[in-house]
Amino acid sequence: MAAIVLQVLDGTDRGRVFEHPATPITIGREEGNTFQLNDERVSRYHLKIQEDHEKVILTDLESTNGTKVNGEDIQVRILRFGDLIALGRSVLLFGSKEQIAGRLAGLRSLRSGASRTMSPEAGTGNPQPPALDFDVSAMDADARAVLNTMEPPALPERLSPGQAAQLAEIFEYFQIQVRQLLGTVHVDEKSERVTLDYQRWQALLDMQLRLAGYLKQIAEPNSHVT
């Protein structure tokens, strides 16, 4: 697994760099954490970072004010180089400048390849990777947008037959719900407006609630969400 580096970009501890710690890591306000932050809005034990099958996993430890990754509230999340972790008034950047630059170059290369596939007239020159000495605390909006683009996640590996069946059942449930929802959509091509049956709108809200419940149960297996 690549070395873990966390850089504090904002907050009381701005400028600190936590390098190459052994996992699991805990971050919080209390002295007993692997990394202690001097931030009154950070919980005593706020979050944990651990490795599992070459993936780096962040878990919010039921903190009072929650944890965000790239602006989204999370309870559990696979971290990728360049992710921004917000807890309390502090913002941490995951990855060294070399790790982030390498990922950014790879993502831009993929985008450039897709562009050339879609547009035959596009140039054929090889995209230049970003310099490894770029300032990670002042990345331009384009670099941040590339790093924080949400992509369809990969399916989990090493599932048992029972777990695979459960996962398939969940996907099938939501796929059927979405299909029924789309069946009630009315498209007005003149006004370019789309209207949705009210009952299906309620069903969509129910799906969002159920998904939130699943996410909570995954992050906190002992919680009882109905």
Side-chain angles (χ1 to χ4, degrees):
M1 181 66 213
I4 290 176
V5 177
L6 293 163
Q7 306 175 63
V8 185
L9 298 186
D10 206 0
T12 308
D13 297 279
R14 180 186 301 171
R16 291 180 67 188
V17 179
F18 305 126
E19 295 185 89
H20 316 311
T23 54
I25 301 161
T26 59
I27 299 176
R29 205 176 64 245
E30 196 83 357
E31 285 186 9
N33 287 280
T34 312
F35 300 132
Q36 183 183 14
L37 293 176
N38 300 306
D39 184 337
E40 74 278 3
R41 290 184 62 81
V42 167
S43 293
R44 292 171 60 247
Y45 290 89
H46 197 105
L47 62 84
K48 176 173 70 174
I49 296 175
Q50 61 191 327
E51 294 178 65
D52 182 51
H53 293 97
E54 299 187 352
K55 291 180 174 62
V56 179
I57 314 298
L58 182 151
T59 305
D60 181 84
L61 299 176
E62 300 184 54
S63 62
T64 302
N65 295 309
T67 302
K68 292 178 183 287
V69 174
N70 301 331
E72 294 291 334
D73 291 307
I74 64 97
Q75 290 176 306
V76 62
R77 176 74 172 262
I78 296 173
L79 289 178
R80 295 171 176 84
F81 299 134
D83 281 349
L84 290 174
I85 305 164
L87 59 162
R89 292 191 172 92
S90 303
V91 177
L92 282 62
L93 177 68
F94 176 65
S96 67
K97 59 186 178 183
E98 292 82 9
Q99 290 168 334
I100 296 168
R103 178 169 176 245
L104 183 57
L107 289 171
R108 281 177 167 162
S109 179
L110 285 173
R111 283 189 168 193
S112 176
S115 242
R116 286 197 297 272
T117 301
M118 295 294 291
S119 305
E121 69 278 5
T124 57
N126 293 324
Q128 293 299 314
L132 295 184
D133 60 351
F134 73 102
D135 184 356
V136 293
S137 65
M139 280 188 285
D140 60 35
D142 174 68
R144 178 51 57 199
V146 172
L147 287 169
N148 293 354
T149 298
M150 205 163 210
E151 299 175 353
L155 288 170
E157 302 170 352
R158 294 173 291 275
L159 294 174
S160 69
Q163 290 171 327
Q166 282 183 291
L167 187 63
E169 189 174 14
I170 291 171
F171 283 170
E172 184 180 11
Y173 170 80
F174 286 109
Q175 194 271 337
I176 290 171
Q177 293 295 314
V178 170
R179 186 176 64 208
Q180 292 177 345
L181 184 152
L182 292 175
T184 68
V185 168
H186 174 70
V187 179
D188 186 333
E189 295 182 359
K190 277 190 175 181
S191 64
E192 296 185 343
R193 293 180 65 86
V194 174
T195 55
L196 180 66
D197 178 86
Y198 181 77
Q199 288 185 333
R200 284 295 140 197
W201 168 250
Q202 293 296 320
L204 182 61
L205 296 178
D206 179 69
M207 278 194 286
Q208 184 182 29
L209 183 62
R210 286 180 183 275
L211 283 169
Y214 282 138
L215 288 171
K216 184 172 179 61
Q217 285 181 294
I218 290 168
E220 303 169 26
N222 297 323
S223 67
H224 300 286
V225 180
T226 56

